């Protein structure tokens, strides 16, 4: 056992996970390795990437017991992809998989069954909500879940700490060679910022879509040079789901009061001046802050340089009204934002590494003036719990 | 010695280069390794990337004897960057470097002096023109120059066959954190398609610009998460230079006749039908083909799906007139194209791997119907010499 920065005992080693390093401080950890490189493969002229079913894609990738598969959560509670793929994998009798998702929520409750049947034995994720979270908390898995921040997941993927054998990525449209985005097609989710990491680093990449379009489908968020296989299904998700889950425009008077106070703190901080930058995390109170800040910005003629992170219709309004120069968008929290990213070049799609990876040559979070994030518990030393 | 496909004897090994594999056929070579990963580094909040001089950047990167440095050639004969950087390196007394450029031309004649002084002892490039080429042909270097196609250079960088210690990349504008492009600023070159490879894989990346703009400078061709240092100089290049060199709109009657015949061959081939795709390489005759093809396209109401590769004003005209749906642009051959790429989302910037790397998950060249490339010699078995 070692002690971390706040004196909590941390095991030195966990079976099936490996050695642990106790947390010291935000920038204490000095990277010493090289970036992970996925297996080089080639696709020759005439070779088709289009397959008939998810089952065929699983077989073609050679997925087998013990491997790691990954998913993104841009559809949030509207996601159909995880359950479709896991059902197909279970039918093929593959066991002992690690599921490395950028987040998991209520709709992924069927994973409980796959864990009980031994199809899934390990989870690495950023968020974990709903019945699955409840069962995991009660001890469903022998190996503890690895929870990383979104930027931390990008760091782990780039360093090879999280090695993905096959990424199954839902995209709202793609051409037959894999140029894909999340803002055109019948089931849109907007930014594919988290999925862009998996597309670049997974050994094999399978796109799942319900909308095939003409080649070349550019500009694209995921590029053909990163895609092995493409499967067309009836529907990959319900776009309405992206603004449920953690994200809604709150009418709760307590949340609105918190937001109002937060806005006052920001005003008093001295950071609210021309060219400032800001991020608002998910959660009703957090997102409501933008509304209060906006009044002050108009009043004092203050224009921001950028809003970062999860983007909502409120941030899009700021962009369209000239109150912020740019949006740096790693995920969209509602359909207004999901549409805007495909229409306005100043609404720019970034990957999770650009967003918040502490171990690249400089992430956008480094340049933030103000961040509003939801917390479940804060102690009087400002240690924050966002997990339980 | 081994024999290659056309019976030419190829040495098995060359001093300072290593083992060689004789060429067999376009897709015989099966990759077996993982992608190369550059050293992971970090930039913490408050750390500035902006340096005062190229000399300071060289010192900060720790460049030393025997390393490999790289450059792009998007400014073609208008490039100032290679000579500025090499002069600064020579003054610092660093020796025995490998220069890995995407191409070298007439304006890089000063490299002859740096080779004679031992600053540069090896060259890897795609093109090699002018006095430098002449001197190299006469035996200036002890180690043979490695010449790769543009797609082959991307393959070599991704596989780690070509490891770049420090990339010095001219960009027409960047913000203070390294979000950069080639189409805004005072010295534009358009696409940075070749430079995008170096930015992603070099251990350290130095941007050299004459136009610093507000953060965040997005959309960007090179991203902040790939950039270590930024140096502002008076001028990085002369944009007029990008349409000299190999590229001009020919008035030469022989070239026009070749182009006319080539257009007739394409018509007769059956490939000139709705949705066709095409690439025209550099060289007057090659680029003139577009003009003849265009007449036929209008006459028969044929619209292309994409034009690929080096892009000219002629291809931009096709895009703007609705005769092609997209341009996939790895480099610009004139200023009309260099401006268009920043203005029209259907004029899409691609990197050299997406363009033509045979060892990724599918490059755009795989889907080409028609290519016009200049050749210096063609034998009756259609073996082509583009080198001498």
């Amino acid at each position: 056992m070692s002690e971390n920065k706040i004196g909590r005992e941390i095991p030195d080693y966990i079976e099936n996970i490996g050695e642990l390093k106790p947390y010291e401080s935000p920038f204490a950890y000095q990277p010493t390795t090289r970036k992970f490189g996925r297996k080089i493969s080639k696709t020759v002229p005439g070779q088709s990437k289009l397959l008939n079913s998810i089952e065929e894609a699983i077989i073609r990738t050679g997925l087998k017991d013990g491997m790691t598969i990954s998913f993104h959560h841009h559809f949030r509670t509207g996601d159909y992809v995880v359950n479709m793929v896991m059902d197909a994998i279970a039918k093929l009798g593959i066991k002992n998989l690690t599921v490395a998702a950028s987040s998991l929520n209520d709709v992924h409750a069927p994973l409980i069954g796959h864990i009980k049947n031994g199809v899934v034995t390990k989870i690495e994720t950023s968020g974990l909500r709903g019945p699955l979270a409840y069962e995991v908390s009660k001890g469903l898995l022998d190996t503890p879940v690895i929870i990383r921040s979104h930027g931390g997941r990008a760091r782990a993927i780039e360093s090879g700490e999280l090695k993905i054998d096959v990424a199954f990525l839902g995209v709202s449209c793609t051409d037959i060679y894999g140029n894909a985005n999340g803002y055109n097609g019948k089931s849109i989710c907007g930014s594919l910022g988290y999925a862009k990491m998996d597309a670049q680093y997974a050994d094999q990449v399978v796109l799942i879509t319900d909308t095939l379009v003409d080649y070349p489908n550019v500009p694209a968020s995921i590029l053909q040079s990163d895609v092995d296989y493409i499967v067309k299904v009836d529907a990959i998700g319900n776009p309405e789901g992206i603004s449920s889950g953690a994200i809604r425009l709150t009418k709760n008077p307590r949340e609105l009061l918190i937001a109002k106070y937060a806005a006052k703190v920001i005003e008093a901080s001295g950071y609210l001046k021309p060219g400032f930058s800001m991020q608002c995390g998910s959660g009703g109170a957090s997102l409501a802050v933008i509304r209060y800040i906006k009044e002050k910005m108009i009043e004092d003629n203050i224009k921001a340089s950028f809003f970062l992170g999860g983007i909502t219709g409120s941030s899009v309004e700021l962009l369209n009204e000239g109150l912020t120069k740019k949006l740096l968008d790693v995920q969209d929290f509602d359909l207004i934002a999901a549409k805007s990213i495909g229409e306005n070049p100043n609404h720019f799609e970034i990957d999770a590494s650009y967003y918040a990876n502490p171990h690249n040559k400089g992430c956008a979070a480094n340049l933030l003036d103000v961040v509003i994030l939801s917390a479940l518990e804060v102690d009087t030393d400002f240690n924050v719990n966002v997990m339980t």
Side-chain angles (χ1 to χ4, degrees), chain A residues 4-162:
Chain A
N4 73 4
K5 184 69 178 298
I6 58 164
R8 192 170 290 177
E9 290 210 320
I10 304 292
D12 298 315
Y13 181 88
I14 296 179
E15 190 71 28
N16 288 325
I17 288 182
E19 287 181 15
L20 301 187
K21 266 176 114 130
Y23 177 81
E24 286 175 59
S25 63
F27 304 104
Y29 182 10
Q30 185 65 41
T32 55
T33 60
R34 288 190 167 272
K35 279 173 89 168
F36 176 73
R38 68 150 151 243
K39 274 184 198 158
I40 296 175
S41 55
K42 67 175 185 186
T43 299
V44 300
Q47 197 175 325
S48 169
K49 298 184 178 185
L50 210 56
L51 304 180
N52 292 314
S53 66
I54 290 174
E55 187 186 353
E56 189 186 354
I58 295 163
I59 294 167
R60 287 284 285 276
T61 60
L63 185 72
K64 54 176 196 274
D65 294 4
M67 283 188 168
T68 297
I69 58 176
S70 80
F71 301 98
H72 70 71
H73 75 292
H74 290 289
F75 279 100
R76 310 182 65 85
T77 60
D79 175 60
Y80 300 164
V81 173
V82 171
N83 294 338
M84 280 194 295
V85 171
M86 290 314 305
D87 285 350
I89 287 173
K91 274 190 198 135
L92 288 167
I94 301 167
K95 302 274 181 187
N96 192 25
L97 296 178
T98 296
V99 169
S102 57
S103 197
L104 294 166
N105 60 51
D106 290 70
V107 299
H108 302 122
L111 272 175
I112 297 168
H114 296 304
I115 293 170
K116 287 184 175 162
N117 293 333
V119 176
V120 174
T121 49
K122 201 172 150 189
I123 288 177
E124 307 196 18
T125 185
S126 295
L128 191 58
R129 291 193 176 86
L132 174 62
Y134 183 74
E135 291 296 327
V136 165
S137 297
K138 286 202 303 176
L140 181 64
L141 283 161
D142 291 333
T143 303
V145 172
I146 298 179
I147 304 264
R148 296 186 184 91
S149 66
H150 288 314
R153 181 177 191 264
R155 181 200 57 71
I157 291 174
E158 288 194 357
S159 72
E161 179 184 305
L162 169 53

Side-chain angles (χ1 to χ4, degrees), chain A residues 129-326:
Chain A
R129 291 193 176 86
L132 174 62
Y134 183 74
E135 291 296 327
V136 165
S137 297
K138 286 202 303 176
L140 181 64
L141 283 161
D142 291 333
T143 303
V145 172
I146 298 179
I147 304 264
R148 296 186 184 91
S149 66
H150 288 314
R153 181 177 191 264
R155 181 200 57 71
I157 291 174
E158 288 194 357
S159 72
E161 179 184 305
L162 169 53
K163 288 189 192 76
I164 302 164
D165 293 295
V166 186
F168 295 93
L169 305 175
V171 294
S172 67
C173 69
T174 178
D175 59 37
I176 54 154
Y177 228 44
N179 296 295
N181 66 55
Y183 47 78
N184 292 323
K186 66 177 188 180
S187 311
I188 71 166
C189 61
S191 175
L192 291 171
Y194 300 126
K196 281 161 81 81
M197 297 308 301
D198 307 53
Q200 292 172 80
Y201 290 91
D203 274 353
Q204 292 188 80
V205 175
V206 178
L207 296 189
I208 298 171
T209 193
D210 50 26
T211 307
L212 268 179
V213 297
D214 283 348
Y215 184 89
N217 182 33
V218 293
S221 308
I222 291 175
L223 298 175
Q224 63 180 47
S225 39
D226 288 327
V227 175
D228 292 276
Y229 302 112
I230 298 155
V231 179
K232 186 171 180 293
V233 296
D234 290 337
I236 55 161
N238 174 8
E240 299 302 325
I242 74 170
S243 59
S244 63
I247 313 306
R248 65 201 187 285
L249 276 179
T250 186
K251 285 174 187 161
N252 178 322
R254 193 182 55 170
E255 291 187 338
L256 288 172
L257 193 64
I258 294 174
K260 206 167 202 168
Y261 286 158
K264 282 194 179 160
V265 171
I266 295 168
E267 277 180 53
S269 73
Y271 282 107
L272 193 66
K273 57 189 182 199
F276 83 104
S277 58
M278 184 163 170
Q279 172 172 0
C280 291
S282 62
S286 168
L287 290 169
V289 175
I290 295 185
R291 282 187 274 171
Y292 294 109
I293 289 287
K294 185 179 169 184
E295 289 168 19
K296 186 71 184 164
M297 289 171 72
I298 293 171
E299 212 177 291
D300 294 0
N301 193 27
I302 294 169
K303 289 175 175 42
S305 57
F306 67 95
F307 271 64
L308 173 66
I311 300 296
T312 59
S314 307
S315 317
V316 171
E317 261 180 45
L318 294 180
L319 181 68
N320 291 339
E321 293 169 20
L323 291 169
T324 184
K325 217 174 63 166
K326 307 279 177 178

